[in-house]
Amino acid sequence: MSHNQVSLEDAVQDAESSARSSEVVRAHTYDARLYAPLFYASKEGSVIETDPIIAATAVMHALGYEYYDLKKRYALIGDEATTPDYGHLRNLPFFVSELAPIEDVDADERTFRTVSYSTERAIVSQDNTVGEMIRGSKKPVPRRLEGSNAGWHKVREFVGLSPGTNFEFTIWAHPDDAPPPQIGFRAGIKRTGEFRATRRDDPAETVTVNQYLLQSVYDVGEDTLVDLMRHADTYSRGNDVRTNRFVDVDRQWFETTVLPGSVL
């Protein structure tokens, strides 16, 4: 390939990039409803708890898999398995707010899991009485089954969100990358949480945005983060940096101050 051909291709790419950057990024707010139990590890340990607000990192992955050809990363080894890295999200042509409930949330969906390595038995139950035996009895479920606790993996309780919960979230994208009016996606552990969402006629006045996503993935500066706190109704700190969020930020201010250049 000649130097002139390379230069021509570069010029075309630059022109396309310039045209794209001049497009107006638009906000699309969706009303979403949960149709299957959602388990999302907002808090981990013997009890896996699901925060009522679902982090934007999870929503971006879910939408990316469904609508934007994001490749799934199945097996991670070494540091990748223990250190979160969401740099690949920067390549997606959209940005999303947190998935926030618009009503009281029923967070009483429970599943109890344990497994015996010695007998290849497993327990998975949604019965609360099973959970009571696991948590409070002197003779928990494994002992009741075989008279010994040897070989049993630690019992874990998953506390999730029940079907029927309603949420809202906002997607920002250029017109060519805008999501359809009706969308569906799965999220959470083993992608059990099934959502169906409908786009509103007008975007929401306020949005809840994830600090980790802005700061660690999109490299938004400290001064801008301080401004975000001033333009938010509340700053919510989670038990993990990925669940720190700015609640009810003025959307129009966010679009004119934070999105251009830094994000989209």
Side-chain angles (χ1 to χ4, degrees):
M1 184 180 291
S2 69
H3 174 72
N4 288 337
Q5 288 176 309
V6 173
S7 298
L8 180 59
E9 289 183 359
D10 289 343
V12 171
Q13 290 177 356
D14 290 343
E16 292 176 347
S17 176
S18 177
R20 180 182 178 82
S21 64
S22 65
E23 294 176 342
V24 176
V25 173
R26 297 178 181 173
H28 308 277
T29 297
Y30 286 80
D31 290 310
R33 187 174 180 85
L34 179 63
Y35 283 90
L38 172 68
F39 299 95
Y40 176 75
S42 301
K43 301 176 184 177
E44 294 193 50
S46 297
V47 179
I48 309 297
E49 294 185 54
T50 303
D51 195 291
I53 299 178
I54 307 304
T57 49
V59 182
M60 287 196 74
H61 279 100
L63 294 174
Y65 295 147
E66 196 70 36
Y67 296 101
Y68 294 93
D69 298 324
L70 179 64
K71 294 181 180 180
K72 294 182 174 65
R73 307 167 75 201
Y74 292 103
L76 300 178
I77 60 175
D79 291 341
E80 289 186 338
T82 57
T83 304
D85 178 15
Y86 300 112
H88 55 280
L89 296 180
R90 295 194 65 162
N91 298 323
L92 293 174
F94 70 95
F95 185 78
V96 69
S97 71
E98 306 276 75
L99 190 66
I102 56 177
E103 59 188 5
D104 291 337
V105 174
D106 181 5
D108 197 37
E109 195 72 30
R110 280 175 163 78
T111 295
F112 306 93
R113 297 179 185 272
T114 187
V115 64
S116 170
Y117 295 126
S118 60
T119 63
E120 297 184 355
R121 288 175 176 167
I123 296 175
V124 177
S125 176
Q126 293 176 311
D127 188 346
N128 282 345
T129 58
V130 173
E132 290 172 2
M133 288 189 292
I134 291 174
R135 296 192 308 272
S137 174
K138 294 181 179 179
K139 294 183 179 180
V141 171
R143 190 171 183 82
R144 289 171 185 262
L145 287 179
E146 61 181 33
S148 172
N149 289 329
W152 281 92
H153 184 272
K154 188 175 183 179
V155 174
R156 306 191 86 180
E157 177 186 1
F158 294 74
V159 181
L161 307 185
S162 299
T165 306
N166 295 308
F167 299 81
E168 72 173 15
F169 66 102
T170 297
I171 301 173
W172 291 271
H174 294 280
D176 291 344
D177 299 312
Q182 305 283 337
I183 60 177
F185 57 92
R186 291 180 174 272
I189 297 173
K190 295 187 177 180
R191 302 183 71 197
T192 59
E194 182 177 356
F195 291 91
R196 292 288 181 268
T198 302
R199 189 166 66 200
R200 295 180 185 173
D201 293 335
D202 299 305
E205 294 183 0
T206 61
V207 293
T208 297
V209 292
N210 187 281
Q211 179 184 351
Y212 177 85
L213 186 60
L214 291 169
Q215 185 174 21
S216 299
V217 178
Y218 290 94
D219 297 323
V220 171
E222 292 292 337
D223 291 342
T224 302
L225 293 175
V226 171
D227 283 343
L228 263 167
M229 191 172 294
R230 292 170 179 164
H231 286 82
D233 182 63
T234 307
Y235 174 70
S236 175
R237 184 182 298 276
N239 70 313
D240 185 289
V241 294
R242 290 168 292 179
T243 57
N244 293 347
R245 51 183 62 97
F246 302 98
V247 180
D248 290 338
V249 177
D250 182 90
R251 177 186 57 80
Q252 292 186 340
W253 174 87
F254 182 78
E255 290 173 1
T256 57
T257 306
V258 182
L259 282 184
S262 298
V263 180
L264 290 175

